[in-house]
């Protein structure tokens, strides 16, 4: 069977598998996927029930069939996938299609965890090849929270099969996954990577997912999938709170928005799918398909955490480019990541919304450096990046590892270059800068530059790259050498904007080479370029006059409604200048200029970092390094501090307060889990230095206390537990991690052996919550003097108290707060 053209069909998916296995009393074992081999009749019956209910696509029971999850199971990926596809195909016959179902690997990818991108890709590739061999009709990757992991899965499918692919992620009510990925970033990235349909599954019920639908539809023209849970689970009974009828009724608004691929996830069963099938028949396929509004293409780029729509002037920071920058050259050659990180953070704090990244030097392995620098910069800042290279291999290295949708800088009008670079842009779903030059160099006239721009846009479209993703650079020539050509650049911009309708990017600072007071020339040219349609100036955001020119332009062009942004940014500076005027300070002019960046930026650290300099005081520098995730700097400054400062002073007055501040911002929603993890990992660098120092100085290493943690018997989900472990270790607690699927007896023995005063238990599945209660009972009956905290997505504080826990922890930061209360 071949999958039909998805845009012309409404497709009904199946419902939950775990729900049905539980209802059937199936022996779950270490991996429920093994039931396809040990009890195929159970799996076959479940699939058949979904087909009878109207499901047109069956998800094979292969969700955990990857090498990491199958460790110790006694089964290979090929065996599980083959059996899973076989069961589903036998039930489907000619009435339904069979999807190879891939879930998350079960280990966090770097930089949040230890799994590399290419290792994740290799695991997904193994599953995909097994699925192709077994005869799957399509591939689904679902319930993923990490956009980079989803990218690895998509590439594994696209590079190793011709099968259609569906991609769905699990979001919270905030519109972010628990790792902070936005709905928009996912939609934009997955669409660019070429999935056939995308959407949301799991985590939430229909009513909670519905507000996210418009955000999803706004950033993709692909068919949208919605596969919610049956509401919220009742942990005491394991049942979800929606009936099949109410579930189907709550799915009706999705169909009325033109969502064309629907089904159910946790808590749903064939009755839910049958009711949803009736809704589709009642509304009619033709009517549902007609309800989706026309897609309006956007020029947008993103990181996993942050989207930048190019619907106004957006500044690209130019400082991570070695051309004419001696210190950056030295940093790249010496792999001084601290200096590079400092340049990145300071540019963002100064107002850059995108960062240009160029690491091309004769003495640097550009490919290797690109593979390292892109993830590193994405650790310490959430803005999108512009990958800047003329080396095709380095381009692909950066595009492959990039988490989100980047800009690639650049392609030009030479045919061989376009046909080498544009396929990469298409494959990785990037935006691209087109330079108006070719084998003949840079034309002197505007008309010839326009002709090259048109050639680039048309060639890009022939590869399936929409013109919204093509940004044309009409090229800034140096006024000191080619003064009359300045006007040609501006004229070319007018032609490109009016006739091609694409966005304009320009390296503004090139205009002033060889001239005194370059910033004045740069600012004057920037103002002219903005009036000629410049969207993306590549510039130094630390230039107060240039940033002020952009802010003023936005006011005068009615883009800053009521001048609200301008007033908010500059009111403090105006007050400062007035105060200086009244006191007749002889240095008022220089002082106002020096204070401009800090007053305009609204951040105490900006004045220190905007010039590319970390805080001078080492205490402040370490605090700043932890907050921003600068591991190399944290290591170095800790070594420096320990020469003059007591260990406990470093820990208690710098490291712990820095982690506390990051934790507070995480709780407020101004920071996200990857940033929390990076701060913790950076603090770990400092703690590593401290441990070595204490060994060398024969000092007894002390911890704040021991904590035993475990994922309870029957539950193989341990990402949440692992996050808690990382965060708590960095607060000075000794963590005894028993792993996952841990029996009550093992927990009791560990508590006796280690004499820990705090026990942490985790469970993600409603079916394993009784194991948590059993474990708590076993600890109490053993007479162990300890406090017990529990956590997991299916738990509530009320239920935690009911099963005998002392504390309920909603996240890693709350676990630390509990440990502080119990252990100090």
């Amino acid at each position: 069977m071949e999958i039909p053209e998805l845009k012309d069909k409404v497709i009904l998916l199946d419902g939950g598998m775990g729900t049905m296995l539980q209802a059937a009393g199936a022996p779950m074992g270490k991996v429920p996927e093994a039931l396809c081999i040990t009890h195929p009749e159970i799996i076959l019956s479940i699939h058949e029930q979904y087909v009878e209910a109207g499901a047109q696509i069956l998800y094979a029971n292969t969700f955990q069939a990857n090498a990491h999850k199958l460790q110790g199971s006694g089964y290979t990926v090929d065996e599980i996938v083959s059996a899973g596809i076989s069961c589903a195909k036998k039930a489907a016959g000619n009435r339904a299609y069979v999807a190879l179902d891939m879930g998350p690997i079960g280990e966090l990818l770097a930089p949040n965890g230890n799994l590399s991108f290419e290792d994740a890709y290799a695991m997904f590739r193994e599953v995909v090849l097994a699925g192709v061999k077994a005869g799957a009709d399509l591939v689904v990757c679902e319930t993923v929270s990490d956009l980079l992991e989803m990218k690895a899965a998509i590439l594994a499918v696209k590079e190793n099969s011709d099968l259609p692919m569906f991609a769905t992620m699990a979001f919270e009510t905030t519109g972010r996954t628990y790792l902070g990925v936005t709905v928009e970033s996912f939609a934009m990235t997955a669409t660019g990577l070429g999935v056939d349909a995308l959407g949301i599954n799991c985590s939430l019920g229909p009513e909670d997912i519905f507000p996210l639908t418009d955000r999803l539809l706004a950033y993709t023209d692909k068919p949208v999938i919605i596969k919610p849970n049956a509401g919220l689970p009742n942990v005491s009974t394991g049942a979800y709170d929606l009936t099949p009828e109410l579930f189907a009724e709550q799915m009706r608004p999705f169909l009325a928005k033109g969502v064309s691929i629907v089904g159910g996830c946790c808590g749903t069963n064939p009755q839910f799918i049958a009711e949803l099938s009736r809704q589709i028949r009642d509304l009619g396929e033709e009517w549902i398909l007609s309800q989706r509004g026309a897609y309006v293409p956007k020029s947008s780029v993103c990181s996993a955490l942050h989207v930048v729509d190019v619907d106004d002037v957006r500044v690209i920071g130019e400082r991570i480019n070695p051309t004419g920058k001696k210190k950056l050259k030295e940093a790249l050659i010496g792999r001084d990541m601290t200096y590079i990180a400092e340049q990145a953070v300071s540019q963002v704090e100064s107002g850059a919304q995108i960062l240009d990244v160029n690491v091309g030097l004769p003495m640097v392995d550009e490919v290797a450096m690109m593979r390292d620098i892109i993830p590193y910069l994405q650790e310490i800042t959430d803005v999108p990046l512009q990958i800047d290279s003329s080396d095709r291999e380095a381009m692909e290295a950066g595009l492959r590892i990039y988490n989100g949708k980047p800009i690639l800088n650049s392609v030009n009008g030479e045919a061989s270059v376009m046909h080498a670079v544009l396929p990469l842009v298409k494959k990785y779903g990037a935006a691209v800068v087109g330079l108006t030059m070719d084998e003949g160099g840079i034309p002197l006239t505007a008309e010839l530059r326009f002709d090259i721009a048109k050639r680039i846009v048309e060639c890009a479209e022939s590869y399936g790259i929409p013109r919204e993703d093509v940004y044309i650079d009409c090229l800034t020539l140096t006024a000191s050498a080619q003064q009359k050509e300045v006007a040609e650049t501006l004229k070319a911009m007018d032609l490109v904007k009016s006739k091609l309708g694409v966005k304009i990017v320009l390296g503004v600072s090139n205009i002033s080479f060889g001239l005194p007071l370059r910033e004045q020339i740069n600012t004057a040219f920037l103002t002219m370029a903005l009036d000629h349609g410049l969207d993306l100036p590549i510039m130094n955001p630390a230039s107060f006059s240039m940033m002020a020119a952009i802010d003023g332009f936005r006011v005068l062009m009615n883009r800053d409604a009521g001048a609200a942004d301008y007033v908010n940014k500059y009111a403090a500076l105006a007050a400062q200048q007035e105060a200086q005027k009244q006191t007749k300070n002889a240095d008022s002019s220089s002082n106002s200029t020096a204070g401009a960046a800090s007053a305009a930026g609204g951040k105490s650290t900006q004045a220190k970092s905007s010039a590319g300099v970390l805080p001078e005081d080492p205490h402040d520098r370490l605090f700043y390094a932890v907050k921003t995730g600068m591991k190399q700097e944290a290591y170095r400054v800790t070594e420096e501090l320990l020469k003059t400062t007591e260990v406990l002073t470093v820990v208690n007055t710098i490291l712990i307060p820095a982690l506390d501040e990051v934790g507070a911002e995480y709780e407020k929603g101004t920071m996200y889990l990857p940033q929390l993890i990076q701060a913790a990992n950076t603090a770990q660098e400092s703690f590593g230095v401290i441990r070595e120092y204490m060994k060398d100085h024969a000092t007894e290493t002390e911890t704040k206390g021991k904590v035993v943690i475990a994922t309870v018997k029957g539950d193989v989900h341990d990402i949440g537990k692992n996050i808690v472990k990382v965060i708590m270790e960095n607060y000075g607690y000794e963590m005894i991690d028993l792993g996952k699927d841990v029996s009550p007896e093992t927990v009791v023995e560990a508590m006796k052996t280690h004499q820990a005063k705090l026990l942490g238990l985790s469970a993600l599945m409603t079916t394993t919550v009784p194991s948590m209660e059993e474990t708590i009972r076993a600890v109490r009956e053993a007479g162990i003097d300890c406090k017990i905290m529990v956590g997991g997505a299916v738990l509530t504080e009320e239920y935690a108290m009911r099963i005998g826990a002392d504390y309920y922890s909603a996240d890693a930061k709350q676990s630390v707060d509990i440990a502080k209360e119990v252990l100090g």
Side-chain angles (χ1 to χ4, degrees), residues 767-789:
T767 54
T768 58
V769 171
S771 291
M772 180 177 282
E773 184 175 10
E774 181 184 349
T775 303
I776 294 172
R777 187 183 309 115
V779 171
R780 301 300 190 206
E781 290 176 354
I784 296 171
D785 179 20
C786 71
K787 298 293 185 182
I788 301 175
M789 65 177 177

Short mmCIF file of all heavy atoms in Angstrom, two decimals, residues 767-789:
data_model
loop_
_atom_site.label_atom_id
_atom_site.label_comp_id
_atom_site.label_asym_id
_atom_site.label_seq_id
_atom_site.Cartn_x
_atom_site.Cartn_y
_atom_site.Cartn_z
N THR A 767 0.97 3.18 35.69
CA THR A 767 0.98 1.76 36.05
C THR A 767 2.05 1.43 37.07
O THR A 767 2.00 0.36 37.69
CB THR A 767 1.21 0.90 34.78
OG1 THR A 767 2.40 1.36 34.13
CG2 THR A 767 0.04 1.02 33.83
N THR A 768 3.06 2.31 37.25
CA THR A 768 4.13 2.01 38.19
C THR A 768 4.02 2.80 39.49
O THR A 768 4.86 2.63 40.38
CB THR A 768 5.51 2.26 37.55
OG1 THR A 768 5.60 3.62 37.14
CG2 THR A 768 5.72 1.36 36.36
N VAL A 769 3.02 3.66 39.60
CA VAL A 769 2.84 4.39 40.86
C VAL A 769 2.60 3.43 42.03
O VAL A 769 3.12 3.67 43.13
CB VAL A 769 1.69 5.41 40.73
CG1 VAL A 769 1.35 6.02 42.08
CG2 VAL A 769 2.09 6.52 39.76
N PRO A 770 1.85 2.33 41.84
CA PRO A 770 1.74 1.38 42.96
C PRO A 770 3.10 0.85 43.43
O PRO A 770 3.27 0.56 44.62
CB PRO A 770 0.88 0.25 42.37
CG PRO A 770 0.05 0.94 41.32
CD PRO A 770 0.95 1.97 40.73
N SER A 771 4.08 0.72 42.53
CA SER A 771 5.43 0.30 42.93
C SER A 771 6.06 1.33 43.84
O SER A 771 6.80 0.99 44.77
CB SER A 771 6.32 0.09 41.70
OG SER A 771 5.90 -1.02 40.96
N MET A 772 5.77 2.60 43.58
CA MET A 772 6.29 3.66 44.44
C MET A 772 5.70 3.53 45.84
O MET A 772 6.43 3.63 46.84
CB MET A 772 5.95 5.03 43.83
CG MET A 772 6.45 6.22 44.65
SD MET A 772 6.08 7.78 43.82
CE MET A 772 7.39 7.81 42.59
N GLU A 773 4.40 3.30 45.92
CA GLU A 773 3.75 3.13 47.21
C GLU A 773 4.32 1.91 47.94
O GLU A 773 4.58 1.95 49.15
CB GLU A 773 2.24 2.98 47.02
CG GLU A 773 1.47 2.90 48.33
CD GLU A 773 -0.03 2.88 48.11
OE1 GLU A 773 -0.48 2.75 46.95
OE2 GLU A 773 -0.77 2.99 49.11
N GLU A 774 4.56 0.83 47.20
CA GLU A 774 5.12 -0.39 47.79
C GLU A 774 6.52 -0.13 48.33
O GLU A 774 6.89 -0.62 49.41
CB GLU A 774 5.16 -1.49 46.73
CG GLU A 774 5.69 -2.82 47.24
CD GLU A 774 5.81 -3.85 46.13
OE1 GLU A 774 5.30 -3.61 45.02
OE2 GLU A 774 6.46 -4.89 46.37
N THR A 775 7.30 0.65 47.59
CA THR A 775 8.67 0.96 48.02
C THR A 775 8.66 1.79 49.30
O THR A 775 9.44 1.53 50.23
CB THR A 775 9.42 1.71 46.91
OG1 THR A 775 9.42 0.92 45.72
CG2 THR A 775 10.86 1.99 47.31
N ILE A 776 7.78 2.78 49.34
CA ILE A 776 7.68 3.62 50.54
C ILE A 776 7.30 2.76 51.74
O ILE A 776 7.86 2.89 52.84
CB ILE A 776 6.66 4.76 50.32
CG1 ILE A 776 7.18 5.73 49.26
CG2 ILE A 776 6.37 5.50 51.63
CD1 ILE A 776 6.17 6.77 48.83
N ARG A 777 6.35 1.85 51.53
CA ARG A 777 5.91 0.98 52.62
C ARG A 777 7.07 0.10 53.11
O ARG A 777 7.27 -0.08 54.32
CB ARG A 777 4.75 0.10 52.14
CG ARG A 777 4.10 -0.74 53.27
CD ARG A 777 3.01 -1.64 52.74
NE ARG A 777 2.05 -0.93 51.93
CZ ARG A 777 1.87 -1.14 50.62
NH1 ARG A 777 2.58 -2.08 50.00
NH2 ARG A 777 0.99 -0.46 49.94
N ALA A 778 7.86 -0.41 52.16
CA ALA A 778 8.99 -1.27 52.53
C ALA A 778 10.03 -0.51 53.34
O ALA A 778 10.59 -1.04 54.30
CB ALA A 778 9.62 -1.85 51.27
N VAL A 779 10.28 0.74 52.98
CA VAL A 779 11.25 1.56 53.72
C VAL A 779 10.75 1.83 55.13
O VAL A 779 11.50 1.74 56.11
CB VAL A 779 11.52 2.88 52.96
CG1 VAL A 779 12.34 3.85 53.82
CG2 VAL A 779 12.23 2.60 51.65
N ARG A 780 9.46 2.13 55.24
CA ARG A 780 8.89 2.40 56.56
C ARG A 780 8.92 1.15 57.44
O ARG A 780 9.26 1.21 58.63
CB ARG A 780 7.44 2.91 56.42
CG ARG A 780 7.26 4.17 55.60
CD ARG A 780 7.99 5.36 56.16
NE ARG A 780 7.61 6.59 55.48
CZ ARG A 780 8.37 7.67 55.39
NH1 ARG A 780 9.58 7.65 55.93
NH2 ARG A 780 7.95 8.74 54.76
N GLU A 781 8.55 0.02 56.85
CA GLU A 781 8.51 -1.23 57.62
C GLU A 781 9.90 -1.67 58.07
O GLU A 781 10.05 -2.35 59.08
CB GLU A 781 7.84 -2.33 56.79
CG GLU A 781 6.34 -2.11 56.60
CD GLU A 781 5.71 -3.14 55.68
OE1 GLU A 781 6.47 -3.96 55.10
OE2 GLU A 781 4.46 -3.13 55.53
N ALA A 782 10.91 -1.25 57.32
CA ALA A 782 12.29 -1.60 57.69
C ALA A 782 12.81 -0.71 58.82
O ALA A 782 13.92 -0.92 59.31
CB ALA A 782 13.20 -1.47 56.48
N GLY A 783 12.01 0.27 59.21
CA GLY A 783 12.38 1.14 60.32
C GLY A 783 13.50 2.11 60.00
O GLY A 783 14.20 2.58 60.91
N ILE A 784 13.66 2.45 58.73
CA ILE A 784 14.74 3.36 58.32
C ILE A 784 14.34 4.80 58.64
O ILE A 784 13.26 5.27 58.27
CB ILE A 784 15.04 3.20 56.82
CG1 ILE A 784 15.57 1.78 56.57
CG2 ILE A 784 16.05 4.25 56.34
CD1 ILE A 784 15.70 1.43 55.09
N ASP A 785 15.22 5.50 59.34
CA ASP A 785 14.99 6.89 59.72
C ASP A 785 15.39 7.80 58.56
O ASP A 785 16.56 8.12 58.38
CB ASP A 785 15.81 7.24 60.97
CG ASP A 785 15.62 8.69 61.39
OD1 ASP A 785 14.62 9.30 60.98
OD2 ASP A 785 16.50 9.21 62.13
N CYS A 786 14.43 8.20 57.76
CA CYS A 786 14.72 9.06 56.60
C CYS A 786 13.45 9.77 56.17
O CYS A 786 12.35 9.41 56.56
CB CYS A 786 15.28 8.25 55.43
SG CYS A 786 14.03 7.18 54.65
N LYS A 787 13.65 10.79 55.35
CA LYS A 787 12.54 11.46 54.68
C LYS A 787 12.49 10.99 53.23
O LYS A 787 13.52 10.67 52.64
CB LYS A 787 12.72 12.98 54.72
CG LYS A 787 12.74 13.57 56.12
CD LYS A 787 11.39 13.43 56.81
CE LYS A 787 11.39 14.13 58.17
NZ LYS A 787 10.10 13.96 58.87
N ILE A 788 11.28 10.94 52.68
CA ILE A 788 11.11 10.46 51.31
C ILE A 788 10.44 11.53 50.47
O ILE A 788 9.38 12.05 50.83
CB ILE A 788 10.25 9.17 51.29
CG1 ILE A 788 10.92 8.08 52.13
CG2 ILE A 788 10.05 8.70 49.85
CD1 ILE A 788 10.07 6.82 52.26
N MET A 789 11.09 11.87 49.34
CA MET A 789 10.46 12.77 48.38
C MET A 789 10.17 11.99 47.10
O MET A 789 10.92 11.09 46.72
CB MET A 789 11.35 13.99 48.08
CG MET A 789 12.66 13.70 47.40
SD MET A 789 13.55 15.25 47.03
CE MET A 789 15.08 14.60 46.33
#
